[in-house]
């Protein structure tokens, strides 16, 4: 595909995938009681973490592959590994859930059974991206969106969490089959070798560590609070963040497509200014979106999240403030990647762990509302740290430039 068409297809595919995840939670909230939605949210959170781990281990190294034949071999190998690993993991998850009573355990059992379907289909999205065929991933994701909405829409109110998980997972089967057929025709004759994924030092192992620190930590801590405290914590926090799903799409798009676009902007100083302006625009968008949600009447909110709306609405000030801070943090990391990409990992480690501490402390001090404000504080601190580091690097670079100029003047005849 041409560059412009590939960018449009990639952005559209990312939007469709994000929209699917948002609408799944919205549909589940409308179909479930508050307790059942809390169970579904907890299981869906487990899936979200596994999705990120598989994407980091197989997808991110895959998209770095270059070369026609090498890319085709890598795509087949990555998809084969993802299907095999998700089948083994799903079997272990389902087997463990069989030994534990309760509705949440039954929902985990259902997740284990459908795990190869949902993770396999996601692995093929990375394969199409690697082959520079994002429009095929978009076609499969549009099919999945239609199937999942139709399948969940056919369920009656009061459906249990296990049933909703099973219906959601199996609805991805048509998209999986379509993706497999399209991928097979584009990789005919390619070799399949999963041994590189089993070796020590595989690039995906580093990416999993970065994902675990930067993304999964806070989600697992929310899940832990629901385990030791009340399951309603998970439902309330997930419901509030679901309402801000469109902002997640914008942040992800900025991270994915920001650096090459900003590289076209003049010198380094102008690029940093453009990044700061982008942060302001995204933060203003987050504030505007939070205001729109806050002004929704309860009837409209109930149409979105069902019985969970009342819990999520109470967290809108904290969650809206968190997303405004996340806008500055995301763009701050973009600026650091342009200045010195080695500086981002330490910030991710320190402030992801700090966010967990703030989350737990907030929950102990003020319940669910305190937990939401704790997450907000973590995002504020991370944003402040990124831009402080940007300022220091800019000063150091400016001092180095002045020193070089001074030496040049002294050495001039």
């Amino acid at each position: 595909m041409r560059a412009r068409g590939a960018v449009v297809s990639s952005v559209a595919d990312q939007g469709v995938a994000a929209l699917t995840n948002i609408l799944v939670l919205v549909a589940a909230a409308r179909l479930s009681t508050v307790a059942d939605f809390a169970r579904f949210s907890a299981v869906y959170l487990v899936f979200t973490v596994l999705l990120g781990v598989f994407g980091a281990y197989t997808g991110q190294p895959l998209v770095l592959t270059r070369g026609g034949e090498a890319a085709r071999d890598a795509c087949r190998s990555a998809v084969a590994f993802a299907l095999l690993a998700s089948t083994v993991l799903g079997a272990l998850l389902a087997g463990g859930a069989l030994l534990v009573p309760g509705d949440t355990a039954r929902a985990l059992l259902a997740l284990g059974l459908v795990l190869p379907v949902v993770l396999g289909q996601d692995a093929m999205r990375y394969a199409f991206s690697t082959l520079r065929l994002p429009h095929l991933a978009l076609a499969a994701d549009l099919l999945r969106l239609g199937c999942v909405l139709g399948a969940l829409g056919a369920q009656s109110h009061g459906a249990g969490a296990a049933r909703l998980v099973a219906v959601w997972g199996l609805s991805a089967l048509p998209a999986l089959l379509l993706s497999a057929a399209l991928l097979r025709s584009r990789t005919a004759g390619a070799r399949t070798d999963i041994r590189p994924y089993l070796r020590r030092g595989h690039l995906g192992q580093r990416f999993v560590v970065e994902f675990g620190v930067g993304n999964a930590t806070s989600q697992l801590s929310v899940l832990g609070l629901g385990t030791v405290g009340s399951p309603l914590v998970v439902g309330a926090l997930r419901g509030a963040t679901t309402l801000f799903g469109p902002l997640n799409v914008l942040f992800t798009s900025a991270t994915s497509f920001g650096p090459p676009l900003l590289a076209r902007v003049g010198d380094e100083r102008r690029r940093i200014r453009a990044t700061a302006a982008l942060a302001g625009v995204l933060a203003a968008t987050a504030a505007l979106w939070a205001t729109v949600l806050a002004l929704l009447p309860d009837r409209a909110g109930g149409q979105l999240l069902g019985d969970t709306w009342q819990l999520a609405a109470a967290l809108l000030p904290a969650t809206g403030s968190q997303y405004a801070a996340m806008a500055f943090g995301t763009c701050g990391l973009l600026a650091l990647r342009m200045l010195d990409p080695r500086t981002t990992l330490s910030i991710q480690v320190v402030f992801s762990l700090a966010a967990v501490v703030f989350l737990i402390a907030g929950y102990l001090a003020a319940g669910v509302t305190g937990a939401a404000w704790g997450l907000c504080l973590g995002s504020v601190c991370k944003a402040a740290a990124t831009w402080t580091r940007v300022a220091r690097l800019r000063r150091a670079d400016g001092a180095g430039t002045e020193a070089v100029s001074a030496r040049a003047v002294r050495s001039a005849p």
Side-chain angles (χ1 to χ4, degrees):
M1 295 186 66
R2 293 182 179 179
R4 181 177 298 179
V7 169
V8 171
S9 296
S10 298
V11 173
D13 178 56
Q14 188 177 46
V16 170
L19 180 63
T20 301
N21 291 333
I22 295 168
L23 293 181
V24 164
L25 287 170
V26 169
R30 296 183 62 182
L31 290 169
S32 308
T33 63
V34 173
D36 279 331
F37 180 67
R39 297 187 187 96
F40 180 87
S41 296
V43 174
Y44 201 79
L45 188 57
V46 173
F47 160 72
T48 302
V49 173
L50 293 177
L51 181 69
V53 169
F54 269 73
Y57 195 86
T58 60
Q60 292 182 23
L62 177 61
V63 296
L64 298 177
T65 307
R66 296 294 181 267
E69 193 62 31
R72 293 166 71 243
D73 292 344
C75 287
R76 281 223 169 185
S77 302
V79 171
F81 174 81
L83 289 171
L84 177 61
S86 60
T87 299
V88 173
L89 182 60
L92 293 174
L93 182 61
L98 282 174
L99 304 177
V100 181
D103 293 335
T104 302
R106 285 194 291 270
L108 287 172
L109 171 62
L111 177 62
L113 296 178
V114 302
L115 206 56
V117 178
V118 291
L119 292 183
Q121 195 262 333
D122 188 72
M124 293 184 194
R125 295 177 64 235
Y126 285 99
F128 288 132
S129 178
T130 303
L131 296 174
R132 300 181 181 180
L133 301 170
H135 59 292
L136 299 184
L138 175 60
D141 279 338
L142 285 172
L143 175 62
R144 181 181 180 184
L145 175 60
C147 290
V148 71
L149 291 181
L152 290 176
Q155 306 306 305
S156 59
H157 187 272
R163 180 176 177 177
L164 291 177
V165 171
V167 169
W168 155 76
L170 292 176
S171 67
L173 187 58
L176 174 68
L177 296 177
L178 174 63
S179 298
L182 293 173
L183 184 62
R184 181 179 180 182
S185 65
R186 268 70 178 180
T187 58
R191 297 184 301 108
T192 301
D193 183 11
I194 66 171
R195 288 175 296 179
Y197 292 93
L198 304 176
R199 293 172 185 158
R200 184 177 180 181
H202 172 58
L203 185 59
Q205 295 169 5
R206 173 181 173 83
F207 292 153
V208 168
V209 173
E210 293 185 6
F211 166 78
V213 171
N215 297 281
T217 304
S218 61
Q219 296 189 23
L220 288 174
S221 61
V222 171
L223 186 62
L225 283 182
T227 302
V228 301
S230 170
L232 297 179
V233 176
V234 180
L237 292 175
R238 289 290 289 174
T241 54
T242 298
L243 295 172
F244 286 84
L247 273 300
N248 289 328
V249 177
L250 290 178
F251 293 161
T252 305
S253 298
T255 302
S256 301
F257 301 102
L261 294 177
L262 291 170
R264 302 179 182 182
V265 180
D267 56 15
E268 185 177 272
R269 179 178 297 180
R270 291 181 179 179
R271 287 196 293 270
I272 300 303
R273 289 178 178 176
T275 307
L278 176 62
V281 171
L282 291 177
T285 303
L288 178 61
W289 185 248
T291 302
V292 170
L293 292 173
L295 294 176
L296 280 180
D298 289 341
R299 183 177 180 181
Q303 292 293 320
L304 287 174
L305 290 182
D307 295 339
T308 307
W309 166 254
Q310 295 296 333
L311 295 174
L315 305 182
L316 285 177
T319 307
S321 300
Q322 177 192 356
Y323 272 80
M326 286 171 61
F328 283 98
T330 299
C331 293
L333 290 174
L334 274 178
L336 286 177
R337 287 177 182 176
M338 291 185 291
L339 292 171
D340 185 358
R342 296 171 298 177
T343 60
T344 59
L345 182 58
S346 60
I347 291 179
Q348 291 277 31
V349 171
V350 172
F351 289 96
S352 294
L353 295 177
V356 174
V357 173
F358 295 148
L359 169 72
I360 296 173
Y363 177 73
L364 294 176
V368 179
T369 303
W373 280 111
L375 289 174
C376 176
L377 180 59
S379 297
V380 169
C381 292
K382 184 176 181 179
T386 56
W387 285 103
T388 299
R389 184 69 62 86
V390 169
R392 289 177 179 174
L393 290 176
R394 288 288 300 133
R395 285 197 296 269
D397 184 64
T401 302
E402 291 179 0
V404 171
S405 300
R407 286 196 297 269
V409 170
R410 287 194 298 268
S411 61

